[in-house]
Amino acid sequence: MPNARNRKAMKKKKEAARLALEKKAAEAAARLTNRGGDTDDKKSGTKPGKREKVVRTLPENKEEIIKLSPDKLINAQLEANLQGLKAEYEKAGPFPHISIPDFLNEDYARLLKDELLHEEFYTKSNDLYDFAQTKDLQNQQGNDLPMISHFNGILSHIRKSMEGITGIKLEKKADVFGAIYSNTGKLLCHDDHLPGRRIAYILYLTPDDWSSQDGGSLDLFQVDGKGEPCRVVKSVVPTWNSFLFFEVSKHSFHQVAEVLSKKARVSISGWFYGDPIDHKIVEDPVPEYLASTNGSYSLDEWVGRTYRKPNMIKQINKTFMDESSIELRGFLRKNKYDALCHALYVSKELKHVGPFHKRNYSRIDPQDEKKEENIVSEFRGFLLSKEFSEFVSKLTGVKTIGGSFEYRKFDKGCYTLAHDADHFMKTEGLDVVMCLLPSRTKWTLAHGGSVHYIDGEDELLTIPACENTLSLVYRAEGGTSKFVKYINHRAPCPRIDASCTYTVEEDDEEDS
């Protein structure tokens, strides 16, 4: 039996090891953040991290620990209380899931995390996520990654227990990925569905003092009558050495909430596979196109003098014909712009627009807006007027027929996603968006809120959020989609815009 002095020394040594490990994770996250840039690999959207040598101050009994069989290293409750865990799993809402605390032997978990942090991490960034990830670490052999190789053995060992808890027959295959979410990192609402995925799992290797204030929770969504995610009903704080898993189904919508602190949210996650399940995509309804507004509207009253000059109109038209897009800064007259911004930013006539796996923002309800005789409704009328439509045709050479309109408010945490059910991916059109940030707002791309046009994995155009800027973008039929980048907690204010999507008149072509 160790005496009191030895126990105290051992405790002190373990605490030093823990602090050293958390420092290493924070340094890894800082390197990923400072490196910047979104993607540079067309296929995977990833960028390699930098490997650095660090001094290890971890448990010295690694060789002894790794010789232990999996059943000696995992929480005994997983096998001893199978029926109790099964009942807890099935009862959990909004879809079956369970979290097992103190999943691994403490020393084993710290050694596993230490080895993981020596792996190469790749920055992954698109409309859905921002985090860093390793390559697939399944079936690692040899002495290079002994802890990770051993962890693969643990996953194989618990497969039967997971089958007993979930009632799902699983294959031997299981993905294994390491992940780091640093400040502003997130993974937005999705259901994890890919052919064969049946159980998703996460082993949290976060700092011991991680709390809800640090962000990074696993948020679980309830679905509506259409089977689409409508609200978060449960948030799971990523607790050190806890093991969470859930069934992948048409209702398993979840997200990793944005990380709000400088701590590194480290985890190992992946999927167990089995027989594929049916998965249907709910199509978006075709948007309602609005007719031109009645009444007479003056360009002189709204549009800045520069953009009304004939030579400028010709120059804009030439640029647009060459590039299919243009941004016009300082577009509105300043007095109108400031009054419009003020009215919009104090407006309470807002309604949430979802579902969360496609979009998350607020808009002014068109019905309520019609009741208001103010600058907000006046500007809406101007953008849908015959005068503005003819002006846009002069700028672009594109004749518009009708359009949809909405005022969109993107608070922190808001976004739109590119998705297969997007009606606008299938149609030709002209996007006209007036960005309405308050004057002198210091907004950068790092805050989010930029509009991105993509064709598959290729990025075609990025339009940053910029005050008093009208953007005009022509979308060819089929393949082109767009999204508004997630606005993170560092943004100075919400982004508001007036968004119009016009259908265009087809050119008449004569047989030659």
Side-chain angles (χ1 to χ4, degrees):
M1 291 287 291
N3 58 33
R5 180 179 295 179
N6 288 339
R7 287 198 301 271
K8 188 174 181 181
M10 288 171 63
K11 185 176 179 181
K12 201 170 182 182
K13 192 171 183 179
K14 282 190 176 184
E15 179 63 12
R18 182 187 69 80
L19 293 173
L21 196 55
E22 301 313 337
K23 181 180 179 182
K24 186 191 301 181
E27 288 170 349
R31 289 197 300 273
L32 293 164
T33 302
N34 293 335
R35 193 165 58 243
D38 286 349
T39 64
D40 71 350
D41 186 306
K42 277 189 177 181
K43 184 175 181 181
S44 62
T46 62
K47 186 173 182 179
K50 181 181 178 183
R51 189 189 298 268
E52 291 188 1
K53 291 184 178 179
V54 294
V55 178
R56 304 190 185 212
T57 54
L58 287 157
E60 296 176 353
N61 55 341
K62 179 175 180 177
E63 299 302 324
E64 297 176 12
I65 290 176
I66 209 167
K67 290 178 182 177
L68 295 174
S69 59
D71 62 304
K72 302 294 184 184
L73 292 169
I74 62 174
N75 190 321
Q77 289 295 307
L78 184 62
E79 296 175 342
N81 186 27
L82 205 60
Q83 290 305 310
L85 295 176
K86 179 178 174 64
E88 184 180 344
Y89 170 86
E90 293 174 345
K91 185 179 178 182
F95 50 83
H97 69 277
I98 194 168
S99 180
I100 301 173
D102 303 318
F103 180 67
L104 296 173
N105 170 283
E106 182 72 13
D107 284 349
Y108 181 92
R110 299 208 182 278
L111 287 165
L112 179 63
K113 180 177 181 180
D114 175 67
E115 186 171 279
L116 178 67
L117 293 176
H118 280 74
E119 273 299 283
E120 203 98 81
F121 282 80
Y122 297 82
T123 300
K124 299 172 68 67
S125 180
N126 60 17
D127 57 326
L128 184 66
Y129 50 67
D130 284 286
F131 67 105
Q133 189 180 58
T134 65
K135 63 183 180 182
D136 191 352
L137 301 173
Q138 65 172 314
N139 301 322
Q140 292 296 320
Q141 303 293 334
N143 297 323
D144 289 341
L145 299 171
M147 299 304 302
I148 292 172
S149 176
H150 196 276
F151 181 70
N152 273 282
I154 287 179
L155 291 176
S156 296
H157 178 79
I158 66 173
R159 180 167 50 86
K160 287 296 181 184
S161 296
M162 295 180 76
E163 287 179 339
I165 292 171
T166 64
I168 298 171
K169 181 68 175 175
L170 301 174
E171 299 172 1
K172 292 182 179 180
K173 177 184 176 182
D175 297 327
V176 183
F177 294 94
I180 295 178
Y181 290 78
S182 52
N183 192 278
T184 72
K186 83 280 178 186
L187 173 57
L188 300 177
C189 182
H190 64 291
D191 62 6
D192 264 4
H193 175 77
L194 277 179
R197 287 182 179 177
R198 296 308 315 273
I199 298 293
Y201 75 87
I202 312 104
L203 172 66
Y204 292 115
L205 299 173
T206 46
D208 292 350
D209 60 349
W210 195 282
S211 71
S212 58
Q213 283 70 40
D214 295 309
S217 60
L218 180 68
D219 295 336
L220 310 182
F221 287 83
Q222 186 179 66
V223 297
D224 59 19
K226 296 179 181 179
E228 296 186 309
C230 58
R231 64 189 179 102
V232 173
V233 294
K234 185 173 183 178
S235 294
V236 181
V237 176
T239 306
W240 162 257
N241 196 16
S242 60
F243 185 78
L244 183 144
F245 59 92
F246 59 84
E247 178 184 0
V248 176
S249 72
K250 61 183 180 180
H251 294 151
S252 59
F253 288 101
H254 60 284
Q255 70 178 9
V256 176
E258 181 184 359
V259 172
L260 307 176
S261 72
K262 294 181 179 180
K263 299 175 187 176
R265 185 190 187 275
V266 182
S267 64
I268 294 177
S269 60
W271 298 268
F272 286 86
Y273 288 76
D275 291 337
I277 57 174
D278 292 333
H279 189 269
K280 294 182 180 179
I281 297 175
V282 179
E283 295 285 340
D284 274 354
V286 176
E288 178 185 358
Y289 288 100
L290 305 174
S292 297
T293 51
N294 297 322
S296 178
Y297 290 84
S298 168
L299 291 175
D300 295 355
E301 182 182 353
W302 289 96
V303 180
R305 182 184 304 173
T306 300
Y307 295 112
R308 290 182 274 118
K309 294 180 179 179
N311 287 342
M312 177 59 75
I313 292 173
K314 289 181 181 178
Q315 185 179 334
I316 292 170
N317 179 267
K318 183 179 184 306
T319 300
F320 188 87
M321 295 295 285
D322 289 340
E323 301 181 8
S324 297
S325 67
I326 196 166
E327 298 163 52
L328 307 178
R329 300 196 175 188
F331 182 74
L332 294 181
R333 295 174 65 106
K334 189 173 187 324
N335 62 326
K336 285 287 190 180
Y337 180 79
D338 288 343
L340 178 61
C341 281
H342 175 74
L344 286 168
Y345 277 86
V346 300
S347 175
K348 304 299 183 186
E349 301 293 341
L350 298 172
K351 131 183 202 183
H352 178 259
V353 180
F356 284 90
H357 67 314
K358 297 176 182 176
R359 59 190 73 86
N360 174 30
Y361 62 90
S362 298
R363 73 170 168 226
I364 296 176
D365 190 321
Q367 292 182 348
D368 291 336
E369 187 185 324
K370 290 175 183 176
K371 298 175 184 177
E372 300 177 9
E373 293 299 329
N374 58 23
I375 194 167
V376 173
S377 56
E378 288 173 15
F379 186 61
R380 175 183 179 276
F382 172 67
L383 290 184
L384 292 173
S385 69
K386 180 180 178 183
E387 290 83 356
F388 185 72
S389 176
E390 292 174 348
F391 180 61
V392 167
S393 293
K394 289 180 182 179
L395 295 177
T396 64
V398 175
K399 175 137 185 171
T400 61
I401 302 173
S404 63
F405 174 89
E406 62 181 344
Y407 283 114
R408 304 184 299 180
K409 183 176 183 180
F410 293 85
D411 285 296
K412 295 174 184 180
C414 288
Y415 55 86
T416 68
L417 300 175
H419 57 90
D420 294 337
D422 187 352
H423 171 77
F424 295 118
M425 283 185 66
K426 307 168 187 175
T427 58
E428 180 184 17
L430 181 69
D431 294 338
V432 180
V433 179
M434 184 72 216
C435 187
L436 298 161
L437 290 178
S439 295
R440 297 179 295 278
T441 299
K442 293 182 179 179
W443 194 292
T444 70
L445 281 172
H447 296 131
S450 47
V451 181
H452 298 253
Y453 286 81
I454 58 175
D455 184 1
E457 294 175 343
D458 296 326
E459 180 137 349
L460 306 175
L461 177 67
T462 298
I463 303 174
C466 184
E467 66 180 81
N468 198 2
T469 298
L470 183 78
S471 63
L472 304 165
V473 180
Y474 170 76
R475 279 182 295 98
E477 183 177 358
T480 304
S481 56
K482 62 181 177 178
F483 64 89
V484 177
K485 186 76 172 175
Y486 176 94
I487 296 179
N488 62 49
H489 72 276
R490 293 176 173 174
C493 65
R495 170 196 163 118
I496 291 182
D497 62 34
S499 177
C500 304
T501 300
Y502 294 99
T503 54
V504 299
E505 188 175 278
E506 295 182 4
D507 294 332
D508 292 330
E509 295 184 1
E510 297 182 358
D511 294 334
S512 57

